[in-house]
Amino acid sequence: MPVYTCTTVQSVLSADTKADLAAEITRIHSMINHVPGTYVNVVFHELDPDEVYTDGIPAQPLLINGWVRSGHPEAQSSQLVAEIAAAASRVTGIPAKRVLIVIQNSPAHFAIEGGRVLPAPGEEEAWLHAQKDAD
Amino acid sequence: MPVYTCTTVQSVLSADTKADLAAEITRIHSMINHVPGTYVNVVFHELDPDEVYTDGIPAQPLLINGWVRSGHPEAQSSQLVAEIAAAASRVTGIPAKRVLIVIQNSPAHFAIEGGRVLPAPGEEEAWLHAQKDAD
Amino acid sequence: MPVYTCTTVQSVLSADTKADLAAEITRIHSMINHVPGTYVNVVFHELDPDEVYTDGIPAQPLLINGWVRSGHPEAQSSQLVAEIAAAASRVTGIPAKRVLIVIQNSPAHFAIEGGRVLPAPGEEEAWLHAQKDAD
């Protein structure tokens, strides 16, 4: 269901670090938002040095944008963004001051996966069950 | 007005398939949301195999993120996401279980095209007419 | 705090033009939304010619997507999008009819930078002050 998009300059993250960060984001999202890891997507955009600017000059931030379904309890969203931010620095070694995490959302019924409209937060179990029955 | 961003791993989509998917998304959006095709943008991000993960392991999903203006009737948005999802599998041959469509939105007045603030849903005709008069 | 993502076809923008556009977006955002330039990120996605379509055919639009915190006064958001749009054409020479600016947002507390939850609009000064004290 969610998509996390990580944007950095090329060569900042090794192949291993990307895999580790993807695994850690997946673990955290899965735990906090009650979604099996098989529904968590993480992609990386690794841009040229002249394609990334902070304060109008070439820079090397780590920008992570997550899309999640609207309607998760406030405390859950706060925990999610905090844990993703902590993991980003812990896994990559990039200091927190160069890391920006942004969570965006839209209603679950504006998203389709596996041919089915996504469940609203709290209704995951019935949705997943129906999927399993169809397999 | 809208922008559809399709993200996949490199070589998953041929040049022809990309063109076909762009054409089909354009046709569907134009029909359902009453926007001339000349205002529909579709872009593709084709990433390296080690830049795309599902469940924390390298994977080949097709992720389509659409941005549209807020305020379209609910039924229209549901039809839009359903038809885009069906088209994505039909055109690319990628099974529905690997396809995720997400529609995001923001108010029309937070967007500018051709130097003019976008019209709210339902006010496209007057907006387009004024544009034509200016050309 | 904000992230501006500019998408074009490769070779449309020179290295100098990218730097100039990043600087100008940073200046405008900083001035209107009261955020120091050091918190403004601008990234460029320069895609292959067969990865960008308008009206279902290969095209060369300039698509700029900005993420900002929710809650800025309406007039401020309108001014922001208008000035970014004007700057985009002025700096790049790309005519307004091929330029689309979209501003998206989510609550400040859904974003973390420098290890701290972002301040709501209007509360930047105290937030920045606390950061300075910590440095």
Side-chain angles (χ1 to χ4, degrees):
Chain A
M1 306 181 194
V3 180
Y4 287 87
T5 303
C6 309
T7 302
T8 60
V9 168
Q10 268 169 25
S11 309
V12 166
L13 304 177
S14 69
D16 279 356
T17 301
K18 283 180 276 184
D20 289 350
L21 184 53
E24 192 62 0
I25 289 175
T26 301
R27 185 189 67 77
I28 292 167
H29 186 97
S30 191
M31 179 186 64
I32 298 178
N33 272 14
H34 310 301
V35 168
T38 47
Y39 288 94
V40 180
N41 302 283
V42 180
V43 308
F44 292 85
H45 288 291
E46 301 177 278
L47 304 174
D48 287 340
D50 73 345
E51 294 179 324
V52 183
Y53 299 81
T54 302
D55 199 15
I57 51 178
Q60 303 202 335
L62 172 59
L63 310 169
I64 301 183
N65 182 295
W67 178 85
V68 307
R69 294 165 291 145
S70 305
H72 292 282
E74 197 87 342
Q76 195 172 313
S77 299
S78 297
Q79 190 193 351
L80 182 70
V81 67
E83 298 214 7
I84 299 282
S89 283
R90 185 174 67 239
V91 171
T92 65
I94 298 175
K97 66 187 316 183
R98 284 200 284 129
V99 176
L100 170 60
I101 317 289
V102 169
I103 303 289
Q104 291 188 282
N105 57 52
S106 43
H109 64 273
F110 282 7
I112 285 185
E113 187 164 14
R116 294 191 304 149
V117 173
L118 291 189
E123 299 177 5
E124 292 86 357
E125 211 168 330
W127 191 88
L128 292 166
H129 204 77
Q131 183 57 44
K132 206 169 275 174
D133 290 349
D135 281 347
Chain B
M1 305 183 196
V3 181
Y4 286 89
T5 304
C6 309
T7 303
T8 59
V9 169
Q10 267 170 24
S11 309
V12 165
L13 304 177
S14 70
D16 280 356
T17 302
K18 282 181 275 183
D20 289 350
L21 183 54
E24 191 63 358
I25 289 174
T26 302
R27 185 189 66 77
I28 291 168
H29 186 97
S30 192
M31 178 186 65
I32 297 178
N33 272 14
H34 311 299
V35 167
T38 48
Y39 289 94
V40 181
N41 302 283
V42 181
V43 309
F44 292 86
H45 289 290
E46 301 177 279
L47 304 174
D48 287 339
D50 72 344
E51 293 179 324
V52 182
Y53 298 81
T54 302
D55 198 15
I57 51 179
Q60 304 202 334
L62 172 59
L63 309 169
I64 302 183
N65 183 296
W67 178 86
V68 307
R69 294 165 291 145
S70 304
H72 292 283
E74 196 87 342
Q76 197 171 309
S77 299
S78 298
Q79 189 193 352
L80 182 70
V81 67
E83 297 214 7
I84 299 283
S89 282
R90 186 174 65 241
V91 171
T92 66
I94 296 175
K97 65 187 316 181
R98 283 200 284 131
V99 176
L100 170 60
I101 317 290
V102 169
I103 302 290
Q104 292 188 281
N105 56 53
S106 44
H109 64 273
F110 282 7
I112 285 185
E113 187 163 15
R116 294 191 305 148
V117 173
L118 292 189
E123 298 175 8
E124 293 85 357
E125 212 168 328
W127 191 88
L128 293 166
H129 204 76
Q131 182 57 44
K132 206 170 276 175
D133 289 349
D135 282 346
Chain C
M1 304 179 197
V3 181
Y4 287 88
T5 303
C6 309
T7 303
T8 60
V9 168
Q10 269 170 24
S11 310
V12 166
L13 304 177
S14 70
D16 280 355
T17 302
K18 281 180 278 184
D20 289 351
L21 183 54
E24 192 62 359
I25 290 175
T26 301
R27 185 189 66 76
I28 292 168
H29 186 97
S30 191
M31 177 186 66
I32 297 178
N33 273 12
H34 312 301
V35 168
T38 47
Y39 289 93
V40 180
N41 302 284
V42 180
V43 308
F44 292 86
H45 288 290
E46 301 176 279
L47 303 174
D48 288 338
D50 72 344
E51 294 180 324
V52 182
Y53 298 80
T54 302
D55 199 14
I57 52 178
Q60 303 201 336
L62 172 59
L63 309 170
I64 301 184
N65 182 295
W67 177 86
V68 307
R69 294 165 292 145
S70 305
H72 292 282
E74 196 88 341
Q76 196 172 310
S77 300
S78 297
Q79 190 193 351
L80 181 70
V81 66
E83 297 214 9
I84 299 281
S89 282
R90 186 173 68 241
V91 171
T92 66
I94 297 175
K97 65 188 315 184
R98 284 201 283 130
V99 175
L100 170 60
I101 317 290
V102 169
I103 302 289
Q104 292 188 283
N105 57 51
S106 42
H109 64 273
F110 283 5
I112 284 184
E113 187 164 14
R116 294 191 306 149
V117 172
L118 292 188
E123 300 177 5
E124 292 86 358
E125 213 167 328
W127 191 88
L128 292 166
H129 204 75
Q131 181 59 43
K132 206 169 274 173
D133 290 349
D135 282 347

